[in-house]
Amino acid sequence: MKFGIIFYAILGILALFIGIYLLQYFILLSIIFFIGAFINVVFIHKEYSLHKNDKIEYTDNSVPDEIIVKYSQSGRIIAIATYSIFVILGLFFLLGLKFKFNGTAIFVLLILLGSTGYFIFKIISEVKKLSQIIISINGKGIRIKNNSRYLWNEIQLEKIIVKRLVSRESKHDYKPEVNYLYFFHNNEKIEINIDDFNITDYQLAQVLKIFRVRFNNSVLL
């Protein structure tokens, strides 16, 4: 974690100084480097939060009646800021384009307008994700997005699993890990990637155990 924070801090400081230097020449380009510095600050906060949250131990009393899981806010902010860089680049080239009525100029103009519009659309999509509920867990069961809730008495083997991505082209030993919420519902296997949510795999694993115990105790009463 410390290496990651130091790495992002160095990149952020470099981007900040470059942005300040470019202010006197190209304001739009300097804004891009300021956004880059901001992105690195968010990365630092994300790294610190993940390390801190993994140490939190949940108990039955500390978990509310329902847990709502959404997309990671820091992840959405990073995505929005990154797409904003491409929008600014598009505006930069559009403003610097010396337009002439010929096929090449019209083609370049359409490419710039299309790519800029695409990244504006991506920004709007990321903003919408901030309020989108992906998983809700309560005493009745687990609900994924707007689907019907999977009831606890129909769920089996709920847990968090880790898959390691292996590429045939990769010549290195490093294999990226992806965390999934995994369970069976009426003999149907359900998996959902949880790596980009506002809850860690360790936290969600604790939550699943607590709600399972709650349900089992309610059945015994």
Side-chain angles (χ1 to χ4, degrees), residues 2-214:
K2 290 182 179 180
F3 174 79
I5 290 177
I6 293 172
F7 176 75
Y8 290 128
I10 292 172
L11 285 182
I13 292 170
L14 286 174
L16 180 62
F17 279 114
I18 294 173
I20 293 173
Y21 174 77
L22 289 176
L23 271 176
Q24 55 188 325
Y25 302 108
F26 307 104
I27 293 178
L28 281 179
L29 286 182
S30 68
I31 292 174
I32 289 175
F33 283 95
F34 287 141
I35 293 174
F38 171 73
I39 289 174
N40 281 280
V41 171
V42 178
F43 268 121
I44 291 172
H45 177 266
K46 187 177 181 180
E47 286 280 327
Y48 175 76
S49 297
L50 287 174
H51 181 74
K52 181 180 179 181
N53 290 337
D54 270 345
K55 295 181 178 180
I56 297 176
E57 294 289 339
Y58 286 156
T59 63
D60 184 60
N61 293 330
S62 64
V63 175
D65 293 336
E66 184 172 27
I67 292 291
I68 300 296
V69 179
K70 298 181 179 181
Y71 283 108
S72 165
Q73 285 190 347
S74 57
R76 305 287 64 73
I77 292 172
I78 291 170
I80 291 169
T82 302
Y83 294 141
S84 298
I85 290 176
F86 289 103
V87 171
I88 294 172
L89 278 174
L91 293 174
F92 176 79
F93 287 115
L94 281 170
L95 293 174
L97 182 66
K98 294 180 180 179
F99 186 76
K100 297 179 180 179
F101 287 98
N102 56 55
T104 302
I106 293 174
F107 177 76
V108 172
L109 178 63
L110 291 176
I111 292 294
L112 289 173
L113 288 174
S115 58
T116 303
Y118 169 77
F119 286 113
I120 291 174
F121 169 77
K122 293 293 288 183
I123 290 173
I124 295 172
S125 299
E126 293 296 331
V127 171
K128 289 181 178 179
K129 285 182 179 180
L130 286 170
S131 59
Q132 186 177 357
I133 297 175
I134 307 301
I135 303 172
S136 69
I137 306 174
N138 61 21
K140 295 181 180 180
I142 302 172
R143 185 174 185 179
I144 309 296
K145 295 184 177 179
N146 294 322
N147 299 321
S148 299
R149 190 173 296 277
Y150 302 107
L151 303 180
W152 283 115
N153 61 347
E154 300 171 348
I155 294 174
Q156 294 178 319
L157 303 175
E158 68 280 356
K159 58 184 176 181
I160 304 301
I161 64 171
V162 179
K163 291 185 177 181
R164 290 175 173 81
L165 302 181
V166 180
S167 173
R168 293 180 180 178
E169 292 77 20
S170 176
K171 298 180 180 179
H172 305 285
D173 294 331
Y174 173 70
K175 300 178 180 64
E177 294 183 350
V178 181
N179 295 292
Y180 288 86
L181 167 60
Y182 170 99
F183 60 89
F184 277 89
H185 176 258
N186 290 335
N187 295 322
E188 177 189 3
K189 183 171 68 173
I190 308 295
E191 290 182 354
I192 179 169
N193 187 331
I194 61 168
D195 279 337
D196 197 23
F197 294 157
N198 62 350
I199 189 170
T200 66
D201 56 314
Y202 180 66
Q203 289 174 315
L204 189 54
Q206 293 183 75
V207 167
L208 289 172
K209 290 179 181 179
I210 289 171
F211 276 103
R212 170 57 74 182
V213 170
R214 286 181 182 178

